[in-house]
Amino acid sequence: MRLLFATAELRPLASAGGLGEAAAGLTAALAAHPEVQVITVLPDYRRWPLEDVQQLDLDVPEWAAPASVRLGHHADAGLLALVDVPGIERPDPYVDTDGNGWGDNDQRFGAFSMAVAALAHRLDVDLVHLNDWHTALVPAFLADAIPSVLTIHNLAHQGWADPSWIHRLPTHRDAYEWGNAVNGLAGAIATVDRVVTVSPHYAREIVTAEGGMGLHLRLADRGEDLVGILNGIDTRAWNPELDPHVPPYTPTDLTGKATARAALLDHCGWTDLGDPLVVLVTRLVEQKGVDYAFEAARFLDGMRTRMIVLGSGERRLADWARWLVGEHPDRFWFHDGYDGPLSHLLFAGGDLLLMPSRFEPCGLAQMQAMAYGTVPVVTPVGGLLDTVIDADARPDGNGFVASALDESGVVDALHRGLRGVRHGGRRRALQRRGMTHDWSWTEPAARYVELYDSVLARRQS
Ligand code: GLC
């Protein structure tokens, strides 16, 4: 089967968050699958070098022209199709240096989507796999000629565009018209062959008024065509035995983890008080509930713990974190920004990972943490519920799940987590369960291939 996988992000080339990480892991696992030939199509934001390049000019309407593609091999990312459309080349996929969205994002990703559809025809692929709003207009341009699957990584971003866009859509206008505007995701949800979201729990949350962000009825309409497939993590990049950024260690010999912990303390400029280290590796946005963590920071002294935060995002939250550093210099540490190697050191050197999300389609950090023997403390939402089992509730627990989605729920779970890792025997059992579980993309990729097969079978009948 020839598959065109369309994404706006792909680590290590372009990665603003979970989408880039998930796309890298899934496409690598699909490429290893004997039944699939996968071509990943990505906007050519920064003219990345490719090998064995073939240049294709695409036939697109005037508003998206000129559109061309460089098809070739990339050392890290495999077979890539890099799309050039007007305005797509930018230092960052979505935002300017002040963090404001580029004013022409609907135009840029609309033209990208048009090019993806044209490329799907040109390469004569069997199926197109779309991801998030950036590719949501593709089904309107494919006009049902080629089957498609959409993965929703985050329903909060829907790809709203002004009503003039309707006239650019050759088919399915009714599906995309939403109030007085165009809603890309709303249209794609109604028109693709199958809708996938990144965990079973999130699949159930998004068909409710509470979790559906305005699209719950449209999602519910898809019935059994909406499924949850839990993300994996990219075990090429996230494996403490092979990770070049940390001292190597295994579930049976955690010496390297202790060394990483010492290196992390050193990095923070701290001496070891024997207190557990709570790490957060996160975007600083409302969704991630970092404000719950920051509220809890006032108890750090009493709890005898320390909090280490790595992340970038909203200025308000970054300012709050800086203020906390001033208040608790010996207990709270903050690095404003995204730093790949440092994030590996946090996952390896931490004792607990705190992830107090308000909603979480899947979440990758909790799985990365468990793979590194760092015990997750999470809120009871989305993919966190599919991956973290509360160790106070069940003997096979691997972490701690707050009983309520509010500050006291988070503080209580953090207390329980601290108790869990203070006792050596219990901590090692929790660590072993997290580290020996298979979090890789192998199983999820197999589930996607089954889904592709079922789409093709249904189309044929
Ligand atoms: C988004 C979601 C996150 C998910 C990731 C990859 O970033 O917020 O929960 O893990 O996409 O699918």
Side-chain angles (χ1 to χ4, degrees):
M1 163 191 337
R2 254 157 99 77
L3 171 75
L4 189 61
F5 186 98
T7 175
E9 297 178 31
L10 187 72
R11 180 185 51 77
L13 299 183
S15 191
L19 172 59
E21 185 63 41
L26 176 54
T27 53
L30 289 171
H33 197 285
E35 258 182 60
V36 184
Q37 191 206 352
V38 57
I39 304 161
T40 308
V41 56
L42 178 81
D44 201 357
Y45 305 114
R46 285 193 270 118
R47 305 247 106 220
W48 293 286
L50 292 180
E51 275 159 39
D52 310 322
V53 191
Q54 191 191 346
Q55 164 107 21
L56 306 173
D57 292 319
L58 298 173
D59 190 15
V60 296
E62 208 180 300
W63 64 265
S68 65
V69 165
R70 288 186 301 130
L71 192 63
H73 275 274
H74 185 275
D76 298 310
L79 185 54
L80 280 191
L82 294 173
V83 167
D84 186 28
V85 286
I88 206 70
E89 201 178 331
R90 297 278 158 90
D92 181 276
Y94 313 128
V95 296
D96 63 20
T97 44
D98 290 329
N100 299 314
W102 301 111
D104 56 352
N105 276 346
D106 55 349
Q107 166 66 34
R108 295 170 67 232
F109 290 107
F112 172 63
S113 295
M114 181 66 242
V116 168
L119 182 66
H121 283 291
R122 180 71 171 268
L123 298 176
D124 195 23
V125 299
D126 299 303
L127 196 135
V128 185
H129 187 152
L130 308 170
N131 292 276
D132 277 354
W133 73 269
H134 323 92
T135 52
L137 298 183
V138 173
F141 304 132
L142 283 177
D144 298 318
I146 301 174
S148 58
V149 166
L150 166 75
T151 296
I152 300 172
H153 297 261
N154 194 335
L155 205 52
H157 307 287
Q158 300 183 356
W160 288 90
D162 75 72
S164 65
W165 273 87
I166 277 294
H167 306 292
R168 294 179 173 175
L169 307 182
T171 64
H172 295 302
R173 289 185 179 168
D174 290 352
Y176 284 90
E177 203 161 9
W178 199 251
N180 254 337
V182 165
N183 182 319
L185 268 194
I189 289 165
T191 52
V192 293
D193 292 75
R194 291 282 204 293
V195 182
V196 182
T197 192
V198 289
S199 71
H201 265 99
Y202 194 56
R204 275 174 253 151
E205 288 170 4
I206 59 180
V207 295
T208 66
E210 221 186 352
M213 304 213 165
L215 297 181
H216 58 289
L217 295 177
R218 171 125 322 172
L219 284 156
D221 268 350
R222 292 305 310 251
E224 308 218 314
D225 287 343
L226 166 67
V227 296
I229 299 180
L230 187 68
N231 280 340
I233 59 171
D234 188 346
T235 43
R236 296 170 305 168
W238 297 102
N239 177 349
E241 281 181 57
L242 306 172
D243 190 330
H245 306 295
V246 304
Y249 59 95
T250 64
T252 47
D253 182 358
L254 294 172
T255 321
K257 184 166 174 70
T259 313
R261 187 176 181 281
L264 180 57
L265 281 164
D266 205 48
H267 191 88
C268 299
W270 290 339
T271 52
D272 195 358
L273 306 171
D275 292 348
L277 305 179
V278 178
V279 299
L280 285 93
V281 181
T282 180
R283 282 179 295 126
L284 299 179
V285 293
E286 165 106 4
Q287 177 199 339
K288 297 293 177 180
V290 278
D291 50 315
Y292 293 137
F294 292 175
E295 291 288 358
R298 66 175 184 278
F299 304 122
L300 289 175
D301 258 321
M303 282 180 163
R304 288 193 298 113
T305 184
R306 287 164 145 175
M307 203 175 267
I308 301 174
V309 181
L310 171 63
S312 64
E314 288 168 23
R315 170 159 306 159
R316 169 183 76 93
L317 294 168
D319 286 345
W320 188 353
R322 269 188 287 274
W323 179 82
L324 285 166
V325 172
E327 291 291 297
H328 313 275
D330 211 31
R331 299 234 166 242
F332 193 95
W333 191 90
F334 171 54
H335 178 90
D336 187 356
Y338 181 73
D339 180 326
L342 183 58
S343 75
H344 288 246
L345 186 62
L346 263 70
F347 283 116
D351 296 296
L352 293 170
L353 172 96
L354 180 58
M355 199 165 171
S357 306
R358 287 199 162 72
F359 69 94
E360 196 58 79
C362 178
L364 302 171
Q366 81 280 16
M367 293 189 270
Q368 290 160 351
M370 287 188 271
Y372 280 69
T374 297
V375 178
V377 175
V378 303
T379 39
V381 293
L384 300 176
L385 283 170
D386 290 300
T387 47
V388 183
I389 302 166
D390 193 288
D392 285 335
R394 274 175 46 181
D396 58 341
N398 55 14
F400 296 87
V401 183
S403 55
L405 182 57
D406 55 28
E407 195 205 326
S408 49
V410 170
V411 171
D412 171 66
L414 188 56
H415 263 298
R416 295 190 295 111
L418 288 164
R419 206 181 315 131
V421 296
R422 274 201 172 100
H423 182 277
R426 192 164 182 228
R427 182 181 69 231
R428 278 189 295 279
L430 287 166
Q431 288 177 317
R432 203 165 32 242
R433 267 175 236 135
M435 291 182 79
T436 52
H437 185 91
D438 178 11
W439 301 110
S440 78
W441 274 100
T442 309
E443 179 58 32
R447 298 244 6 240
Y448 271 107
V449 175
E450 276 168 33
L451 186 94
Y452 303 151
D453 282 336
S454 76
V455 167
L456 297 183
R458 193 202 274 175
R459 282 257 183 158
Q460 261 151 27
S461 66

